[in-house]
Amino acid sequence: MTHEERIQTTALIALLAALLGTLWALQSGSDVQGVSLAAGLAYGAALALTGPLQAPLGESVVTSLKYAAVALGFAVTVLVSGTYAGWQLLRSRRTPKGVFA
C-alpha cells in the first residue's frame, strides 16, 4: 500500500465514521450540538483507530476535507439543477412530450 493510498483510506474511513455518527445521533433524536458532537467523536475515533495504517494525521484530515468539499459541491449541483428543472416544468404550464405517456 503506497503512502497516498494509506492517506486516502484513512480519510474515507474517518468520513464514513462521521457520517454514521451523524446518522446515529439524528436517529436517537439529538439536538444540533449532540449531532455535531457525535460526528466529531466518531471522526476523531476513526482517525485514532486507523493508526496501524501509519498515515500522517494532517494529510488525512486535509484529504478528508477535500473529499467532503467535492461531495458537497456535487450535492449542491444536483440540488440546483433539480430546482431549475422543476422551476422550468412548473413555469411552462404544460407537460413536456413523453413525460407522462
Side-chain angles (χ1 to χ4, degrees):
M1 188 178 257
T2 66
H3 181 72
E4 186 64 29
E5 288 172 343
R6 288 180 183 152
I7 293 170
Q8 290 175 352
T9 303
T10 302
L12 284 175
I13 289 171
L15 281 176
L16 289 175
L19 177 64
L20 288 175
T22 302
L23 292 175
W24 174 81
L26 288 172
Q27 196 72 2
S28 64
S30 298
D31 59 346
V32 175
Q33 286 181 332
V35 171
S36 301
L37 180 65
L41 287 175
Y43 182 80
L47 284 177
L49 292 175
T50 54
L53 289 175
Q54 297 176 347
L57 180 64
E59 291 180 37
S60 299
V61 170
V62 169
T63 302
S64 64
L65 289 175
K66 287 179 188 176
Y67 289 164
V70 168
L72 179 66
F74 178 73
V76 168
T77 303
V78 169
L79 178 68
V80 168
S81 62
T83 303
Y84 179 74
W87 175 255
Q88 291 297 323
L89 185 64
L90 289 174
R91 215 175 63 144
S92 69
R93 295 188 184 186
R94 60 186 174 96
T95 59
K97 291 182 180 179
V99 172
F100 297 109

